[in-house]
Amino acid sequence: MSRRALLVLNPNSRNGAEADLDSGLARLEAAGIAVKTLCSQGSQETEAAIRQQHKSLDLVIVGGGDGTVSSTARALIESQLPLAVLPLGTANDLARSLGIVDLGQAFDVIIDNHRQAIDLGVVNGHYFFNVANMGLGVKVTEAQDSDIKKRWGVFSYLRAFFIALGRAQKFRVDLTLDDKRYRMGSIQLAVGNGRYYGGGNLVAEEARINDAKLDLYCLRPRGLMELLGMALLVRNGKHHLAKRIFSASAERIEIETKPGLEIHADGEPVTETPATFKVIPAALQILVPRNSDELLSDREKDNDTDSH
Ligand SMILES: Nc1ncnc2c1ncn2[C@@H]1O[C@H](COP(=O)(O)OP(=O)(O)OP(=O)(O)O)[C@@H](O)[C@H]1O
């Protein structure tokens, strides 16, 4: 059956301007998928295009990184159009959370048209796919710059991490996780919806983008050496192994901090504390590889429900 797709291509994403999409687009055409391309200059243009055209579309394809995908969330929720991702950004963490490793596979996935419902996180009314950060993570994004991202690729996140370390500040946090309350000091708080963030860091070992949960971690190091010691555990989502990392999962999270902090979601500044985080289970349909290990299978989801 033929399908009509809008390709939102972001020329500002790492590979958005240079990637050779011709052969992939020719494969889509041969498979009966008619693609209109929008070379987008900003999130407002993208949202407006999806809203205007949604009645004549069967699919939105995003060619860009995580920031570009995030910019489509609101219009996709409204229109309930399915989403497909061509990973043309730097981190491409959403593509990782789905099990898409390269561009060729991304085109295969679009042709195969196998769909999966995924959750979205929402913080103070702003949607996110991967993670929302406060503290050190925000300083990491601020230390990023798009030229360096293009030159250094995924290593630009490591470079930014070391710059950010010198700027990290302690803050006090009051947390409400569903109905449990906690108070602690921190330098970094993250709330994840997906499985990966920041260029391949695991949100939590068992986190999935279709598990109907948010995963939080809070770093409470006593000094720089302890923080560096935590870095590998954080990279691999093994937060539970470190005494001075608090981690938990919940469906609703309230966060108050002193002082108030800026919140970045999927790498973009969106809001500030105090903040309420919620998960919207199965918010969007997305095209994914069949039997992806990065997603919970229906059987795993049933087992999870049984065990509660
Ligand atoms: N829909 C859009 N159209 C055009 N530009 C956008 C859009 N959404 C976001 N942008 C801008 O483009 C920049 C780069 O896009 P994006 O974040 O997708 O790529 P990246 O930074 O290379 O990859 P990643 O986020 O995966 O590390 C964003 O920081 C933002 O300023």
Side-chain angles (χ1 to χ4, degrees):
M1 213 184 71
S2 63
R3 284 182 279 158
R4 298 154 303 172
L6 175 68
L7 167 60
V8 175
L9 190 60
N10 179 0
N12 304 317
S13 60
R14 181 161 193 242
N15 298 304
E18 288 100 42
D20 184 1
L21 302 179
D22 290 350
S23 65
L25 290 174
R27 286 175 55 213
L28 297 190
E29 201 184 327
I33 305 167
V35 179
K36 270 200 276 184
T37 302
L38 168 73
C39 198
S40 174
Q41 293 309 314
S43 53
Q44 287 181 351
E45 189 183 357
T46 295
E47 275 201 350
I50 298 173
R51 286 196 175 119
Q52 272 161 19
Q53 299 177 38
H54 74 97
K55 288 201 178 122
S56 58
L57 293 173
D58 303 299
L59 173 68
V60 173
I61 304 171
V62 172
D66 294 307
T68 321
V69 182
S70 267
S71 77
T72 63
R74 190 170 295 278
L76 289 176
I77 292 230
E78 285 167 13
S79 63
Q80 281 298 307
L81 282 168
L83 167 69
V85 181
L86 297 178
L88 299 176
T90 309
N92 299 313
D93 286 309
L94 174 63
R96 264 180 240 258
S97 290
L98 305 175
I100 296 172
V101 295
D102 61 38
L103 202 52
Q105 185 198 9
F107 280 111
D108 292 341
V109 164
I110 297 172
I111 293 166
D112 190 32
N113 199 20
H114 179 65
R115 294 178 189 188
Q116 167 72 53
I118 61 159
D119 312 329
L120 271 184
V122 54
V123 50
N124 290 354
H126 300 270
Y127 297 108
F128 62 97
F129 286 82
N130 303 323
V131 83
N133 266 309
M134 284 137 278
L136 182 64
V138 167
K139 307 268 181 222
V140 172
T141 323
E142 284 170 354
Q144 281 281 37
D145 118 355
S146 56
D147 285 344
I148 288 171
K149 257 183 149 181
K150 285 202 174 184
R151 258 188 288 141
W152 288 51
V154 93
F155 294 105
S156 63
Y157 281 89
L158 199 61
R159 173 190 172 277
F161 172 73
F162 282 105
I163 295 173
L165 274 185
R167 301 176 188 165
Q169 279 165 350
K170 280 205 179 121
F171 54 89
R172 178 124 219 110
V173 53
D174 284 296
L175 284 175
T176 310
L177 296 169
D178 294 330
D179 49 8
K180 293 197 194 96
R181 285 165 175 247
Y182 305 85
R183 171 171 284 192
M184 59 194 81
S186 178
I187 64 153
Q188 154 71 359
L189 259 177
V191 177
N193 172 60
R195 181 156 169 74
Y196 293 98
Y197 71 103
N201 301 309
L202 270 175
V203 163
E205 260 180 319
E206 65 290 352
R208 298 288 196 278
I209 202 163
N210 59 337
D211 61 6
K213 277 186 292 200
L214 299 172
D215 292 274
L216 169 138
Y217 77 79
C218 176
L219 300 188
R220 303 176 297 157
R222 287 221 175 89
L224 186 62
M225 289 318 286
E226 199 174 38
L227 177 62
L228 289 174
M230 287 173 176
L232 205 59
L233 295 175
V234 170
R235 171 88 186 154
N236 295 314
K238 295 181 188 291
H239 307 116
H240 55 284
L241 296 181
K243 241 184 24 214
R244 301 210 48 89
I245 305 181
F246 173 83
S247 62
S249 58
E251 288 165 25
R252 181 189 166 94
I253 298 173
E254 283 174 38
I255 297 180
E256 280 186 46
T257 61
K258 262 199 190 117
L261 294 174
E262 195 177 356
I263 301 178
H264 283 196
D266 291 344
E268 309 286 332
V270 293
T271 183
E272 54 210 29
T273 58
T276 302
F277 293 77
K278 285 181 257 181
V279 63
I280 311 176
L284 287 180
Q285 293 287 321
I286 193 158
L287 273 50
V288 298
R290 283 173 200 271
N291 306 318
S292 167
D293 289 339
E294 305 292 356
L295 294 160
L296 280 185
S297 65
D298 288 339
R299 188 173 337 135
E300 283 170 313
K301 276 200 264 183
D302 289 344
N303 289 345
D304 200 37
T305 319
D306 293 347
S307 64
H308 285 301

